[in-house]
Structure formats: C-alpha cells, structure tokens
Amino acid sequence: MAKFRLPTIPSEQITPESIYQQRRHFMRLGTAALLAPMLPLGNANAATQDLARLSAVPGPFKTDEPMTDREAVTHYNNFYEFGTGKADPARNAHTLEPRPWSVTVAGACAKPGTYELDDLLKGRTLEERVYRLRCVEGWSMVIPWIGFPLSDLLRRFEPTGNAKFVMLTTLYDPKQMPGQRRNVLPWPYVEGLRMDEAMHPLTILAVGLYGHVLPNQNGAPLRLVVPWKYGFKSIKSIVRIDFVEKQPATTWNQSAPREYGFYANVNPNVDHPRWSQRRERRIGDLFRRETLLFNGYGEWVADLYSDLDLKRNF
Ligand SMILES: Nc1nc2c(c(=O)[nH]1)N[C@H]1C(S)=C(S)[C@@H](COP(=O)(O)O)O[C@H]1N2
Ligand SMILES: [Mo]
C-alpha cells in the first residue's frame, strides 16, 4: 500500500477541452485551490453551489495515458435505467433529479439512518483521480473523476464486525428513470463489494468528472468508481448503502450468473462466455490494445485476491 504517486500528465497528452487544460495547468503548478472557481456555478440549486465551491485537489494517482474526450465520456454510456443504447442515457437522463437526494444506510453499523447527501458531502475534500474504466463489453476510457474515498464515508457509519460486504443500491423511480418500466434487468440496480475492496484507497465515490458536477448520465449525484473491476461494478445514482454479512446478490450476477461474476475483476485471462477479454478498444483509438490484469492496478490490489482462484471467482 501507499505506493501512490501524484498525477503528472504530460500537457501534450491532455484532452483538447480548453477550460480543462487551463485547470490542469493550475494543477501542475500545485495550486489546486485555484480549481474551485473553475467548477460550474451556474446551477441555481444552492446545494450544487456548495458542491461547486469545494476545491478538488489532485488525488494520489498518476497516469500518463491521454484522457478520453469529454464528449465521449458523457455521450457513450451504460445506464440501463435510461435505455440500453449507448446514446440513450445522454438523451434521456434529464428526467433524473439529483437534488434533493438522500442516502439510507442500514445493516451492521452503529450509525444507520437516512442522510441528506449534502450533509454527507459537507466539509469533505474532493480529489481528482484519473482512472481507467473498462467495460465488460470490451471498450475503455480514461476519466478525470472528482470524488473521495468510499472508506472515508463508510467509517462515519461505524460498521461492526458483522459487516463483511457492502451492498449499494440505485434509485428506483420509474418516473425519473423510465428504463425501469422495462424488465431488461431486475430493478433496482444493486452492486456489492467485499469490505476490504470497499475500504481500499483506490475505491472512490464520484460526484463529478472533468471539473464539473456529474452529468446525470454518468450517475448523478453519487456513483461508485472501482477502477480494477469491470464497469458494471461502478454503480450509479446511489440511494442506499447496506452493511451485510453475506455476499449480496448483485444485479448482473442475478441476471446472467455465468457471464457476470460477483468479483468482476478485469482479467484478460478469463474470457466472458461469449467473447474474449484479451483486448479492449480505448474510445478514441483506432486499434485495440491489450487488456491488463486488474485493469493495470494490480500493484495495489493483487494482494486482495492472493487466496482466491480468479478463474472460479470471476
Ligand atoms: N445504476 C446503474 N449503474 C451502472 C450501470 C447501469 O446500467 N445502471 N451500468 C454500468 C456499466 S455496465 C458501466 S460500463 C458503467 C458505465 O459508466 P459511464 O457511463 O459513466 O461510463 O456504469 C455502470 N453502472
Ligand atoms: Mo459495462
């Protein structure tokens, strides 16, 4: 652990988005506080303004890979609550209302309850972390997320010794999420992590990307990002956190257990039953590239799985 390095991204590899480039420049100068005024202040919602005033500091992670174009990050999505096509979420997610928003915490912890998201965010330092996201379907992106470690939030609820797993649940409201009127998945969307995965410093809750509050289609107002696992583990629009003793039944695992395991660690050596996981297409690239074990994060997470047969626990 603690082998993180500060982000140093060569300027020529930075996405052309001009505002963002300016922000990166400030970051390289080490004056992260200058980020704050660059966050969007246009939203009339007071809560969003509070969020905007928080500054994002560079998080403990570096990548020298170019970031995926912001347009692709926000217009090529998986969010079945708004349709199964990649362009559907950007088109349909305007019906989602990310404020007011509350998160219910239950199960094996000393501080269960229903919390206003803005109270949970108050005073929290937001970090920017440039993480790869690799979808099980074989495409990937590099995204500058803004968020904070999931562990920081979970500790606040004082999980007990019986908390072996964390289960996360997406909003269920077919009025806001019209895709839930179709039975393409069992709703609401549920995901889970083993406690040590949830507490791992690489695991974050994101509230923004590319210097902006999360667009609805990317999982506003709060979504998980677990960079060493396939994208489907990174559950969006979270309304509930349960500390549980048994491995939770997760949405994709329930709907197709042979295709989507609970662990879902990115692994080029374990094929999906219908396709190989050897390679991936980085959105924006012409050629496919080799997929890396644990999506390239093995240095930090391989230890978590030393006792696990990754072929059986895929
Ligand atoms: N609630 C919910 N979360 C979800 C999904 C979904 O359909 N519903 N899709 C998952 C999948 S398969 C992927 S690849 C990522 C995509 O995240 P992005 O659209 O921000 O790139 O979100 C994940 N989180
Ligand atoms: Mo995915």
Side-chain angles (χ1 to χ4, degrees):
M1 208 61 57
K3 277 184 281 184
F4 299 113
R5 288 155 300 200
L6 287 175
T8 51
I9 299 167
S11 57
E12 67 276 8
Q13 293 185 356
I14 290 168
T15 171
E17 209 216 357
S18 61
I19 292 173
Y20 198 72
Q21 209 162 27
Q22 247 180 315
R23 293 184 58 246
R24 299 302 305 192
H25 181 64
F26 289 133
M27 282 178 64
R28 284 198 310 280
L29 292 173
T31 50
L34 283 171
L35 293 184
M38 312 286 300
L39 288 166
L41 290 159
N43 195 312
N45 186 320
T48 311
Q49 287 191 2
D50 273 344
L51 182 67
R53 259 186 259 117
L54 294 174
S55 57
V57 303
F61 184 75
K62 145 197 146 80
T63 177
D64 49 13
E65 292 169 298
M67 287 182 262
T68 304
D69 197 78
R70 183 177 170 214
E71 193 64 13
V73 172
T74 57
H75 289 80
Y76 188 89
N77 300 103
N78 269 339
F79 200 170
Y80 278 22
E81 284 84 342
F82 297 102
T84 54
K86 299 283 177 275
D88 291 342
R91 204 163 33 221
N92 300 330
H94 58 89
T95 51
L96 175 67
E97 292 166 22
R99 288 295 190 290
W101 193 271
S102 57
V103 178
T104 297
V105 179
C109 68
K111 299 248 163 75
T114 295
Y115 299 85
E116 281 305 309
L117 176 60
D118 291 314
D119 291 338
L120 295 176
L121 296 179
K122 210 170 277 165
R124 217 166 268 292
T125 301
L126 297 183
E127 295 173 359
E128 182 174 80
R129 300 196 180 190
V130 185
Y131 280 168
R132 292 172 219 111
L133 179 93
R134 201 248 193 226
C135 181
V136 73
E137 297 164 53
W139 49 269
S140 63
M141 300 191 190
V142 178
I143 301 173
W145 302 101
I146 291 179
F148 53 90
L150 174 63
S151 63
D152 286 359
L153 188 70
L154 296 187
R155 273 197 204 97
R156 173 185 172 141
F157 309 125
E158 299 175 18
T160 68
N162 291 335
K164 306 282 193 249
F165 295 87
V166 179
M167 179 176 139
L168 302 157
T169 307
T170 293
L171 175 71
Y172 177 72
D173 181 355
K175 282 202 208 75
Q176 290 188 57
M177 297 180 148
Q180 291 175 331
R181 296 197 182 112
R182 293 173 54 207
N183 289 328
V184 287
L185 285 177
W187 309 112
Y189 196 102
V190 169
E191 259 308 334
L193 294 170
R194 216 169 58 188
M195 204 60 188
D196 57 348
E197 299 175 322
M199 300 304 282
H200 192 280
L202 274 176
T203 304
I204 58 168
L205 284 170
V207 294
L209 54 78
Y210 260 117
H212 296 259
V213 169
L214 271 187
N216 286 355
Q217 59 267 34
N218 292 93
L222 185 71
R223 64 91 55 85
L224 185 72
V225 184
V226 198
W228 70 94
K229 292 178 181 282
Y230 291 117
F232 66 87
K233 294 298 281 188
S234 291
I235 181 171
K236 298 176 168 183
S237 305
I238 298 164
V239 293
R240 191 180 167 97
I241 300 173
D242 286 274
F243 295 100
V244 295
E245 190 148 18
K246 300 236 162 62
Q247 182 176 305
T250 57
T251 295
W252 282 104
N253 187 236
Q254 272 184 301
S255 77
R258 288 182 50 257
E259 301 188 23
Y260 311 104
F262 174 80
Y263 283 95
N265 291 313
V266 173
N267 192 338
N269 308 315
V270 179
D271 290 339
H272 181 278
R274 291 184 281 141
W275 58 81
S276 163
Q277 294 290 23
R278 281 260 157 238
R279 291 164 164 273
E280 69 196 56
R281 190 170 71 86
R282 180 68 47 85
I283 299 297
D285 281 4
L286 206 49
F287 300 106
R288 285 175 195 277
R289 63 175 67 208
E290 304 279 316
T291 284
L292 304 172
L293 182 60
F294 300 118
N295 207 18
Y297 298 93
E299 185 183 344
W300 299 292
V301 301
D303 285 358
L304 297 177
Y305 309 106
S306 48
D307 295 335
L308 211 61
D309 177 348
L310 294 175
K311 287 218 157 68
R312 295 189 57 203
N313 298 280
F314 55 89

